mmCIF file of all heavy atoms in Angstrom:
data_model
loop_
_atom_site.group_PDB
_atom_site.id
_atom_site.type_symbol
_atom_site.label_atom_id
_atom_site.label_comp_id
_atom_site.label_asym_id
_atom_site.label_seq_id
_atom_site.Cartn_x
_atom_site.Cartn_y
_atom_site.Cartn_z
ATOM 1 N N GLY R 101 61.435 -38.037 32.786
ATOM 2 C CA GLY R 101 62.323 -38.618 33.747
ATOM 3 C C GLY R 101 63.338 -39.561 33.241
ATOM 4 O O GLY R 101 63.252 -39.942 32.086
ATOM 5 N N ASP R 102 64.335 -39.893 34.005
ATOM 6 C CA ASP R 102 65.518 -40.721 33.493
ATOM 7 C C ASP R 102 64.972 -42.095 33.036
ATOM 8 O O ASP R 102 65.406 -42.611 32.000
ATOM 9 C CB ASP R 102 66.510 -40.899 34.578
ATOM 10 C CG ASP R 102 67.269 -39.616 34.837
ATOM 11 O OD1 ASP R 102 67.207 -38.728 34.044
ATOM 12 O OD2 ASP R 102 67.749 -39.426 35.940
ATOM 13 N N TRP R 103 64.139 -42.676 33.841
ATOM 14 C CA TRP R 103 63.636 -44.037 33.523
ATOM 15 C C TRP R 103 62.972 -44.062 32.144
ATOM 16 O O TRP R 103 63.264 -44.833 31.305
ATOM 17 C CB TRP R 103 62.732 -44.554 34.579
ATOM 18 C CG TRP R 103 62.070 -45.901 34.217
ATOM 19 C CD1 TRP R 103 60.949 -46.066 33.592
ATOM 20 C CD2 TRP R 103 62.661 -47.229 34.490
ATOM 21 N NE1 TRP R 103 60.721 -47.468 33.416
ATOM 22 C CE2 TRP R 103 61.705 -48.135 33.918
ATOM 23 C CE3 TRP R 103 63.754 -47.620 35.002
ATOM 24 C CZ2 TRP R 103 61.937 -49.481 33.976
ATOM 25 C CZ3 TRP R 103 64.071 -49.049 35.074
ATOM 26 C CH2 TRP R 103 63.063 -49.937 34.608
ATOM 27 N N TYR R 104 62.065 -43.069 31.964
ATOM 28 C CA TYR R 104 61.321 -42.972 30.638
ATOM 29 C C TYR R 104 62.292 -42.668 29.543
ATOM 30 O O TYR R 104 62.123 -43.314 28.419
ATOM 31 C CB TYR R 104 60.262 -41.803 30.765
ATOM 32 C CG TYR R 104 59.237 -41.754 29.762
ATOM 33 C CD1 TYR R 104 57.961 -42.272 29.953
ATOM 34 C CD2 TYR R 104 59.396 -41.241 28.479
ATOM 35 C CE1 TYR R 104 57.021 -42.264 28.993
ATOM 36 C CE2 TYR R 104 58.390 -41.314 27.543
ATOM 37 C CZ TYR R 104 57.202 -41.708 27.799
ATOM 38 O OH TYR R 104 56.241 -41.622 26.939
ATOM 39 N N GLU R 105 63.215 -41.818 29.695
ATOM 40 C CA GLU R 105 64.168 -41.488 28.644
ATOM 41 C C GLU R 105 65.052 -42.642 28.358
ATOM 42 O O GLU R 105 65.289 -42.991 27.144
ATOM 43 C CB GLU R 105 65.018 -40.304 29.057
ATOM 44 C CG GLU R 105 66.027 -39.822 28.026
ATOM 45 C CD GLU R 105 66.726 -38.572 28.379
ATOM 46 O OE1 GLU R 105 66.781 -38.287 29.486
ATOM 47 O OE2 GLU R 105 67.329 -37.934 27.516
ATOM 48 N N ASN R 106 65.501 -43.437 29.328
ATOM 49 C CA ASN R 106 66.401 -44.527 29.028
ATOM 50 C C ASN R 106 65.606 -45.586 28.305
ATOM 51 O O ASN R 106 66.260 -46.282 27.457
ATOM 52 C CB ASN R 106 67.008 -45.101 30.379
ATOM 53 C CG ASN R 106 67.956 -44.112 31.038
ATOM 54 O OD1 ASN R 106 68.507 -43.282 30.356
ATOM 55 N ND2 ASN R 106 68.127 -44.203 32.335
ATOM 56 N N ALA R 107 64.337 -45.883 28.671
ATOM 57 C CA ALA R 107 63.591 -46.783 28.030
ATOM 58 C C ALA R 107 63.312 -46.495 26.446
ATOM 59 O O ALA R 107 63.386 -47.395 25.606
ATOM 60 C CB ALA R 107 62.309 -47.060 28.742
ATOM 61 N N ALA R 108 63.092 -45.216 26.247
ATOM 62 C CA ALA R 108 62.895 -44.737 24.843
ATOM 63 C C ALA R 108 64.120 -44.885 24.023
ATOM 64 O O ALA R 108 64.091 -45.356 22.931
ATOM 65 C CB ALA R 108 62.454 -43.265 24.931
ATOM 66 N N ILE R 109 65.299 -44.540 24.680
ATOM 67 C CA ILE R 109 66.609 -44.742 23.917
ATOM 68 C C ILE R 109 66.782 -46.218 23.604
ATOM 69 O O ILE R 109 67.279 -46.603 22.584
ATOM 70 C CB ILE R 109 67.732 -44.085 24.673
ATOM 71 C CG1 ILE R 109 67.543 -42.556 24.729
ATOM 72 C CG2 ILE R 109 69.059 -44.413 24.158
ATOM 73 C CD1 ILE R 109 68.542 -41.886 25.741
ATOM 74 N N LEU R 110 66.503 -47.089 24.563
ATOM 75 C CA LEU R 110 66.650 -48.542 24.373
ATOM 76 C C LEU R 110 65.833 -49.054 23.159
ATOM 77 O O LEU R 110 66.288 -49.750 22.396
ATOM 78 C CB LEU R 110 66.323 -49.354 25.565
ATOM 79 C CG LEU R 110 66.363 -50.804 25.536
ATOM 80 C CD1 LEU R 110 67.854 -51.288 25.128
ATOM 81 C CD2 LEU R 110 65.950 -51.450 26.829
ATOM 82 N N VAL R 111 64.639 -48.584 23.007
ATOM 83 C CA VAL R 111 63.731 -48.885 21.931
ATOM 84 C C VAL R 111 64.477 -48.545 20.607
ATOM 85 O O VAL R 111 64.563 -49.352 19.606
ATOM 86 C CB VAL R 111 62.399 -48.271 21.989
ATOM 87 C CG1 VAL R 111 61.588 -48.399 20.661
ATOM 88 C CG2 VAL R 111 61.606 -48.737 23.148
ATOM 89 N N LYS R 112 65.037 -47.342 20.486
ATOM 90 C CA LYS R 112 65.773 -46.881 19.370
ATOM 91 C C LYS R 112 66.955 -47.724 19.081
ATOM 92 O O LYS R 112 67.153 -48.102 17.860
ATOM 93 C CB LYS R 112 66.180 -45.404 19.611
ATOM 94 C CG LYS R 112 66.870 -44.797 18.318
ATOM 95 C CD LYS R 112 67.282 -43.374 18.608
ATOM 96 C CE LYS R 112 67.966 -42.735 17.427
ATOM 97 N NZ LYS R 112 68.406 -41.331 17.639
ATOM 98 N N GLN R 113 67.674 -48.161 20.000
ATOM 99 C CA GLN R 113 68.874 -48.984 19.893
ATOM 100 C C GLN R 113 68.539 -50.388 19.440
ATOM 101 O O GLN R 113 69.111 -50.934 18.545
ATOM 102 C CB GLN R 113 69.678 -48.945 21.191
ATOM 103 C CG GLN R 113 70.314 -47.598 21.617
ATOM 104 C CD GLN R 113 70.944 -47.637 22.949
ATOM 105 O OE1 GLN R 113 70.639 -48.554 23.770
ATOM 106 N NE2 GLN R 113 71.782 -46.675 23.157
ATOM 107 N N LEU R 114 67.475 -50.960 20.038
ATOM 108 C CA LEU R 114 67.110 -52.295 19.700
ATOM 109 C C LEU R 114 66.547 -52.389 18.209
ATOM 110 O O LEU R 114 66.800 -53.269 17.549
ATOM 111 C CB LEU R 114 66.125 -52.874 20.672
ATOM 112 C CG LEU R 114 66.660 -53.096 22.177
ATOM 113 C CD1 LEU R 114 65.472 -53.585 23.008
ATOM 114 C CD2 LEU R 114 67.751 -54.068 22.090
ATOM 115 N N SER R 115 65.751 -51.363 17.913
ATOM 116 C CA SER R 115 65.182 -51.367 16.530
ATOM 117 C C SER R 115 66.213 -51.166 15.455
ATOM 118 O O SER R 115 65.982 -51.478 14.266
ATOM 119 C CB SER R 115 64.077 -50.356 16.473
ATOM 120 O OG SER R 115 64.573 -49.071 16.781
ATOM 121 N N ALA R 116 67.312 -50.508 15.847
ATOM 122 C CA ALA R 116 68.389 -50.278 14.816
ATOM 123 C C ALA R 116 69.132 -51.453 14.541
ATOM 124 O O ALA R 116 69.602 -51.784 13.377
ATOM 125 C CB ALA R 116 69.393 -49.215 15.391
ATOM 126 N N CYS R 117 69.121 -52.427 15.466
ATOM 127 C CA CYS R 117 69.815 -53.750 15.250
ATOM 128 C C CYS R 117 68.837 -54.729 14.546
ATOM 129 O O CYS R 117 69.238 -55.475 13.648
ATOM 130 C CB CYS R 117 70.307 -54.313 16.572
ATOM 131 S SG CYS R 117 71.407 -53.408 17.508
ATOM 132 N N ARG R 118 67.580 -54.731 14.998
ATOM 133 C CA ARG R 118 66.630 -55.678 14.441
ATOM 134 C C ARG R 118 65.168 -55.000 14.683
ATOM 135 O O ARG R 118 64.862 -54.593 15.730
ATOM 136 C CB ARG R 118 66.749 -57.000 15.101
ATOM 137 C CG ARG R 118 65.946 -58.171 14.429
ATOM 138 C CD ARG R 118 66.166 -59.462 15.107
ATOM 139 N NE ARG R 118 65.361 -59.611 16.285
ATOM 140 C CZ ARG R 118 65.601 -60.423 17.251
ATOM 141 N NH1 ARG R 118 66.587 -61.184 17.253
ATOM 142 N NH2 ARG R 118 64.746 -60.409 18.293
ATOM 143 N N ARG R 119 64.345 -55.202 13.720
ATOM 144 C CA ARG R 119 62.998 -54.662 13.891
ATOM 145 C C ARG R 119 62.267 -55.247 15.030
ATOM 146 O O ARG R 119 62.316 -56.408 15.264
ATOM 147 C CB ARG R 119 62.189 -54.882 12.580
ATOM 148 C CG ARG R 119 60.742 -54.624 12.563
ATOM 149 C CD ARG R 119 60.097 -54.890 11.265
ATOM 150 N NE ARG R 119 58.719 -54.647 11.352
ATOM 151 C CZ ARG R 119 57.819 -55.593 11.660
ATOM 152 N NH1 ARG R 119 58.241 -56.869 11.963
ATOM 153 N NH2 ARG R 119 56.447 -55.386 11.579
ATOM 154 N N ILE R 120 61.703 -54.499 15.816
ATOM 155 C CA ILE R 120 60.849 -54.908 16.969
ATOM 156 C C ILE R 120 59.526 -55.313 16.538
ATOM 157 O O ILE R 120 58.758 -54.413 15.991
ATOM 158 C CB ILE R 120 60.821 -53.811 18.083
ATOM 159 C CG1 ILE R 120 62.244 -53.573 18.610
ATOM 160 C CG2 ILE R 120 59.908 -54.332 19.224
ATOM 161 C CD1 ILE R 120 62.283 -52.422 19.627
ATOM 162 N N ASP R 121 59.063 -56.457 16.826
ATOM 163 C CA ASP R 121 57.654 -56.926 16.514
ATOM 164 C C ASP R 121 56.868 -56.876 17.899
ATOM 165 O O ASP R 121 57.074 -57.729 18.772
ATOM 166 C CB ASP R 121 57.686 -58.295 15.966
ATOM 167 C CG ASP R 121 56.289 -58.773 15.550
ATOM 168 O OD1 ASP R 121 55.298 -57.991 15.870
ATOM 169 O OD2 ASP R 121 56.150 -59.846 15.080
ATOM 170 N N ILE R 122 55.889 -55.863 18.027
ATOM 171 C CA ILE R 122 55.206 -55.698 19.253
ATOM 172 C C ILE R 122 54.237 -56.871 19.526
ATOM 173 O O ILE R 122 53.703 -57.026 20.528
ATOM 174 C CB ILE R 122 54.524 -54.377 19.302
ATOM 175 C CG1 ILE R 122 53.466 -54.244 18.237
ATOM 176 C CG2 ILE R 122 55.450 -53.224 19.252
ATOM 177 C CD1 ILE R 122 52.524 -53.045 18.357
ATOM 178 N N HIS R 123 54.100 -57.744 18.483
ATOM 179 C CA HIS R 123 53.171 -58.917 18.690
ATOM 180 C C HIS R 123 54.011 -60.097 19.079
ATOM 181 O O HIS R 123 53.441 -61.236 19.360
ATOM 182 C CB HIS R 123 52.328 -59.203 17.474
ATOM 183 C CG HIS R 123 51.536 -58.083 16.942
ATOM 184 N ND1 HIS R 123 50.400 -57.723 17.678
ATOM 185 C CD2 HIS R 123 51.566 -57.242 15.971
ATOM 186 C CE1 HIS R 123 49.806 -56.744 17.042
ATOM 187 N NE2 HIS R 123 50.510 -56.443 16.040
ATOM 188 N N ASN R 124 55.333 -59.985 19.144
ATOM 189 C CA ASN R 124 56.225 -61.195 19.475
ATOM 190 C C ASN R 124 56.649 -61.111 20.942
ATOM 191 O O ASN R 124 57.364 -60.167 21.251
ATOM 192 C CB ASN R 124 57.403 -61.118 18.439
ATOM 193 C CG ASN R 124 58.264 -62.375 18.647
ATOM 194 O OD1 ASN R 124 58.149 -63.098 19.611
ATOM 195 N ND2 ASN R 124 59.093 -62.565 17.681
ATOM 196 N N PRO R 125 56.158 -62.037 21.747
ATOM 197 C CA PRO R 125 56.610 -62.071 23.209
ATOM 198 C C PRO R 125 58.143 -62.058 23.371
ATOM 199 O O PRO R 125 58.695 -61.584 24.303
ATOM 200 C CB PRO R 125 55.959 -63.353 23.700
ATOM 201 C CG PRO R 125 54.829 -63.569 22.786
ATOM 202 C CD PRO R 125 55.235 -63.147 21.434
ATOM 203 N N GLU R 126 58.837 -62.632 22.346
ATOM 204 C CA GLU R 126 60.277 -62.735 22.573
ATOM 205 C C GLU R 126 60.986 -61.347 22.430
ATOM 206 O O GLU R 126 61.908 -61.048 23.137
ATOM 207 C CB GLU R 126 60.886 -63.717 21.432
ATOM 208 C CG GLU R 126 60.558 -65.200 21.695
ATOM 209 C CD GLU R 126 61.133 -66.120 20.595
ATOM 210 O OE1 GLU R 126 61.879 -65.602 19.757
ATOM 211 O OE2 GLU R 126 60.890 -67.240 20.635
ATOM 212 N N ASP R 127 60.417 -60.538 21.503
ATOM 213 C CA ASP R 127 60.975 -59.228 21.378
ATOM 214 C C ASP R 127 60.664 -58.383 22.601
ATOM 215 O O ASP R 127 61.539 -57.601 22.997
ATOM 216 C CB ASP R 127 60.328 -58.527 20.161
ATOM 217 C CG ASP R 127 61.003 -58.937 18.772
ATOM 218 O OD1 ASP R 127 61.805 -59.894 18.866
ATOM 219 O OD2 ASP R 127 60.742 -58.401 17.800
ATOM 220 N N ILE R 128 59.478 -58.599 23.145
ATOM 221 C CA ILE R 128 59.132 -57.831 24.381
ATOM 222 C C ILE R 128 60.038 -58.284 25.489
ATOM 223 O O ILE R 128 60.527 -57.475 26.377
ATOM 224 C CB ILE R 128 57.701 -57.978 24.698
ATOM 225 C CG1 ILE R 128 56.749 -57.362 23.583
ATOM 226 C CG2 ILE R 128 57.268 -57.374 26.041
ATOM 227 C CD1 ILE R 128 55.349 -57.701 23.661
ATOM 228 N N GLU R 129 60.248 -59.552 25.655
ATOM 229 C CA GLU R 129 61.143 -60.035 26.732
ATOM 230 C C GLU R 129 62.612 -59.568 26.405
ATOM 231 O O GLU R 129 63.183 -59.201 27.443
ATOM 232 C CB GLU R 129 61.188 -61.621 26.703
ATOM 233 C CG GLU R 129 62.008 -62.222 27.747
ATOM 234 C CD GLU R 129 62.009 -63.708 27.752
ATOM 235 O OE1 GLU R 129 61.295 -64.282 26.852
ATOM 236 O OE2 GLU R 129 62.849 -64.329 28.478
ATOM 237 N N ARG R 130 63.075 -59.552 25.275
ATOM 238 C CA ARG R 130 64.418 -58.909 24.942
ATOM 239 C C ARG R 130 64.476 -57.535 25.467
ATOM 240 O O ARG R 130 65.427 -57.140 26.092
ATOM 241 C CB ARG R 130 64.627 -59.100 23.474
ATOM 242 C CG ARG R 130 65.920 -58.426 23.054
ATOM 243 C CD ARG R 130 66.269 -58.868 21.561
ATOM 244 N NE ARG R 130 65.266 -58.339 20.667
ATOM 245 C CZ ARG R 130 65.507 -57.341 19.778
ATOM 246 N NH1 ARG R 130 66.825 -56.739 19.747
ATOM 247 N NH2 ARG R 130 64.621 -56.886 18.913
ATOM 248 N N TYR R 131 63.391 -56.772 25.217
ATOM 249 C CA TYR R 131 63.448 -55.349 25.621
ATOM 250 C C TYR R 131 63.544 -55.216 27.217
ATOM 251 O O TYR R 131 64.352 -54.469 27.686
ATOM 252 C CB TYR R 131 62.169 -54.676 25.132
ATOM 253 C CG TYR R 131 61.760 -53.343 25.809
ATOM 254 C CD1 TYR R 131 62.427 -52.151 25.479
ATOM 255 C CD2 TYR R 131 60.724 -53.398 26.811
ATOM 256 C CE1 TYR R 131 62.055 -51.002 26.045
ATOM 257 C CE2 TYR R 131 60.360 -52.125 27.368
ATOM 258 C CZ TYR R 131 61.019 -50.988 27.037
ATOM 259 O OH TYR R 131 60.587 -49.815 27.711
ATOM 260 N N TYR R 132 62.679 -55.940 27.861
ATOM 261 C CA TYR R 132 62.615 -55.863 29.353
ATOM 262 C C TYR R 132 63.922 -56.357 29.933
ATOM 263 O O TYR R 132 64.363 -55.843 30.980
ATOM 264 C CB TYR R 132 61.434 -56.550 29.905
ATOM 265 C CG TYR R 132 60.202 -55.651 29.852
ATOM 266 C CD1 TYR R 132 59.084 -55.953 29.058
ATOM 267 C CD2 TYR R 132 60.128 -54.477 30.561
ATOM 268 C CE1 TYR R 132 57.967 -55.235 28.935
ATOM 269 C CE2 TYR R 132 58.947 -53.650 30.517
ATOM 270 C CZ TYR R 132 57.910 -53.901 29.687
ATOM 271 O OH TYR R 132 56.898 -53.166 29.666
ATOM 272 N N ARG R 133 64.502 -57.456 29.376
ATOM 273 C CA ARG R 133 65.722 -57.942 29.958
ATOM 274 C C ARG R 133 66.744 -57.001 29.864
ATOM 275 O O ARG R 133 67.533 -56.769 30.822
ATOM 276 C CB ARG R 133 66.145 -59.283 29.278
ATOM 277 C CG ARG R 133 65.341 -60.500 29.627
ATOM 278 C CD ARG R 133 65.967 -61.777 29.034
ATOM 279 N NE ARG R 133 65.255 -62.906 29.299
ATOM 280 C CZ ARG R 133 65.331 -63.573 30.557
ATOM 281 N NH1 ARG R 133 66.169 -63.128 31.414
ATOM 282 N NH2 ARG R 133 64.553 -64.681 30.700
ATOM 283 N N GLU R 134 66.878 -56.334 28.773
ATOM 284 C CA GLU R 134 68.030 -55.279 28.583
ATOM 285 C C GLU R 134 67.779 -54.080 29.439
ATOM 286 O O GLU R 134 68.615 -53.467 29.970
ATOM 287 C CB GLU R 134 68.062 -54.942 27.072
ATOM 288 C CG GLU R 134 69.212 -53.982 26.760
ATOM 289 C CD GLU R 134 70.600 -54.495 27.110
ATOM 290 O OE1 GLU R 134 70.738 -55.805 26.976
ATOM 291 O OE2 GLU R 134 71.523 -53.749 27.391
#
Side-chain angles (χ1 to χ4, degrees):
D102 291 339
W103 174 270
Y104 194 99
E105 182 172 18
N106 292 338
I109 292 172
L110 176 59
V111 170
K112 182 179 178 181
Q113 292 172 341
L114 291 177
S115 60
C117 301
R118 192 180 80 199
R119 176 178 172 270
I120 297 175
D121 182 356
I122 63 173
H123 300 290
N124 187 345
E126 292 182 2
D127 281 6
I128 296 173
E129 181 181 356
R130 178 168 62 108
Y131 162 79
Y132 278 113
R133 282 189 182 280
E134 185 62 29

